[in-house]
Amino acid sequence: MSDPIYLDYAASTPTDPAVADVMHQHLCLGGTFANPASRGHVYGWQADDAVETARGELAQMLNADPREIVFTSGATESDNLALKGLMARGMQQGRMHVITSGIEHKAILDTCGWMEAQGFTVTYLTPTGDGVITPDAVASAIRGDTLAVSLMQVNNELGSISDLGRIASICREQGVLSHTDAAQSFGKVPLDVQVLGVDMLSLSGHKIYGPKGIGALYVRRQDGLTLDAQIHGGGHEMGMRSGTLPTHQIVGLAAAAKLMQAQLSDETQRIGMLRDRFVSHLQQIPEAHLNSPITQSIPHIVNVAFGGVDGETLLLALNNIAVSTGSACNSASVEPSHVLTGIGMSRELADASLRFSFGRYTQVSDIDSAATHLADVLGRLRQ
């Protein structure tokens, strides 16, 4: 039996071979393998230089200052640092109110839930039926004690895009800090933090054909914004995140980001074509309902509900396609997707929904074969 067609790029991407080659140069004896914090010998200097070069490259892609890039283990840690790192500031200023939405990644929702247990108040905004958080909804929720707003730029299950630029502008006008989890948008939409205007931005390497276990948090230096460290021991990363820096992963993140940036326009067009082809196939399948807003989403993600079947049963029956029922971080849960129920879908349809996501190695033949297999399996299950 051949390997299943991989259509779960929103969960994780394979590391690009060119990125793996760069990483290998920073792993073994003869390469740049040393601890970047070892300042007493040339090996440490070389590793430090590699890290700072990568930091500068990543900053340049975001139009940021290199000192605004904090390396972390991934977007989940970045999200935690962004919000928990503000808590002492909020307590001192009497600003203990945070705004997010009910369809965020669990890294945000669980962090907000923990903050509530510490005495903070959280407002969970309701999205539109397309999974978009509107600037008006944010403006209406801001209070005198609001500390920060944290919202995804691109939803990880629907692909829907919210206007973070306008939302960040509203926050700045009201003296409120803004954060976005950009794990699904970085490398897929143009990102300039000066234009976007957010104070903090999370990203992850394994969503852009880089290694797992590495990410970054952009923290705007303007107005002296700093975050209290959640990991202590050495004062690395401008005092905001201690720990030995993994040189090979950091250079891998930067290499992957450069590739994504170089291919952004062509790849968006190509994946858009694949998405449209897949949607045209879906239109031939009875009771297939698109959950993703095609006109206000990235082309990389298509979320679909299939009437008359159970989602988990369908997922298990699709042995020729690797897809998911939603976020990989929720895969152990038997509950329907909180994103789908959050946009008003019935539990029945939410349970019967799958997320298909396309990427660099998806071909037209993959789309056609996956659609044929999907139609065949649905026909058998419905019988």
Side-chain angles (χ1 to χ4, degrees):
M1 178 177 167
S2 60
D3 291 335
I5 298 167
Y6 189 74
L7 296 180
D8 202 18
Y9 283 83
S12 191
T13 58
T15 299
D16 190 287
V19 173
D21 287 344
V22 171
M23 292 175 63
H24 183 71
Q25 297 168 23
H26 297 78
L27 281 169
C28 303
L29 186 65
T32 313
F33 66 90
N35 189 328
S38 296
R39 304 297 170 84
H41 50 70
V42 67
Y43 299 104
W45 302 337
Q46 290 171 343
D48 181 62
D49 182 64
V51 165
E52 294 311 314
T53 297
R55 192 191 308 274
E57 291 170 343
L58 199 58
Q60 184 177 34
M61 282 178 266
L62 289 170
N63 194 19
D65 186 301
R67 295 169 295 176
E68 296 175 318
I69 304 299
V70 177
F71 289 118
T72 67
S73 62
T76 291
E77 185 190 337
S78 294
D79 290 346
N80 274 260
L81 176 58
L83 293 181
K84 293 178 181 176
L86 291 173
M87 289 178 66
R89 176 192 184 114
M91 292 175 183
Q92 292 168 0
Q93 296 178 350
R95 289 174 171 261
M96 296 179 64
H97 175 236
V98 172
I99 298 171
T100 187
S101 84
I103 61 170
E104 297 300 304
H105 191 279
K106 287 294 186 180
I108 292 294
L109 294 179
D110 288 356
T111 298
C112 285
W114 181 86
M115 291 174 70
E116 287 180 292
Q118 314 309 309
F120 278 72
T121 302
V122 180
T123 295
Y124 297 91
L125 300 177
T126 301
T128 67
D130 287 335
V132 172
I133 306 300
T134 66
D136 286 345
V138 175
S140 298
I142 290 178
R143 313 184 320 204
D145 64 342
T146 302
L147 172 65
V149 172
S150 178
L151 295 167
M152 279 184 182
Q153 185 175 29
V154 171
N155 185 268
N156 61 313
E157 292 192 30
L158 296 168
S160 51
I161 304 172
S162 294
D163 187 353
L164 259 295
R166 180 62 187 135
I167 289 170
S169 177
I170 291 170
C171 291
R172 193 165 296 279
E173 291 166 3
Q174 298 297 320
V176 173
L177 295 170
S178 59
H179 165 256
T180 186
D181 183 330
Q184 293 294 346
S185 60
F186 181 62
K188 298 171 187 173
V189 301
L191 268 184
D192 182 322
V193 292
Q194 304 306 320
V195 174
L196 194 61
V198 294
D199 295 296
M200 296 171 287
L201 181 148
S202 301
L203 57 90
S204 192
H206 75 105
K207 306 292 188 183
I208 59 167
Y209 309 92
K212 297 174 181 64
I214 187 66
L217 177 66
Y218 158 77
V219 183
R220 184 185 295 276
R221 286 175 58 86
Q222 188 175 328
D223 304 322
L225 176 60
T226 58
L227 303 172
D228 290 338
Q230 303 304 300
I231 300 176
H232 301 92
H236 307 77
E237 295 303 276
M238 288 72 74
M240 286 183 269
R241 199 273 188 182
S242 291
T244 300
L245 295 174
T247 310
H248 63 297
Q249 290 176 296
I250 288 171
V251 297
L253 171 62
K258 284 192 291 184
L259 278 175
M260 289 292 282
Q261 185 182 56
Q263 299 176 12
L264 176 60
S265 179
D266 291 344
E267 193 71 345
T268 300
Q269 183 176 2
R270 189 185 74 86
I271 292 179
M273 179 272 292
L274 295 176
R275 188 270 308 274
D276 292 346
R277 189 179 185 95
F278 186 66
V279 169
S280 70
H281 283 306
L282 292 174
Q283 291 169 343
Q284 310 305 313
I285 298 176
E287 296 187 74
H289 310 277
L290 281 177
N291 301 328
S292 298
I294 298 302
T295 59
Q296 197 171 351
S297 66
I298 59 170
H300 307 67
I301 296 174
V302 175
N303 197 297
V304 194
F306 299 97
V309 296
D310 173 72
E312 288 293 338
T313 302
L314 175 59
L315 186 66
L316 291 173
L318 291 171
N319 54 6
N320 287 352
I321 316 174
V323 294
S324 66
T325 54
S327 171
C329 294
N330 302 331
S331 60
S333 173
V334 296
E335 292 297 312
S337 161
H338 70 281
V339 173
L340 299 182
T341 55
I343 62 172
M345 286 187 64
S346 67
R347 175 165 184 152
E348 181 182 16
L349 270 184
D351 273 335
S353 296
L354 297 178
R355 180 186 68 180
F356 299 84
S357 48
F358 319 118
R360 181 171 297 168
Y361 305 108
T362 309
Q363 303 298 319
V364 170
S365 58
D366 295 329
I367 296 295
D368 294 344
S369 297
T372 299
H373 181 54
L374 179 62
D376 178 62
V377 169
L378 281 167
R380 287 190 280 110
L381 288 178
R382 284 169 175 162
Q383 286 177 357

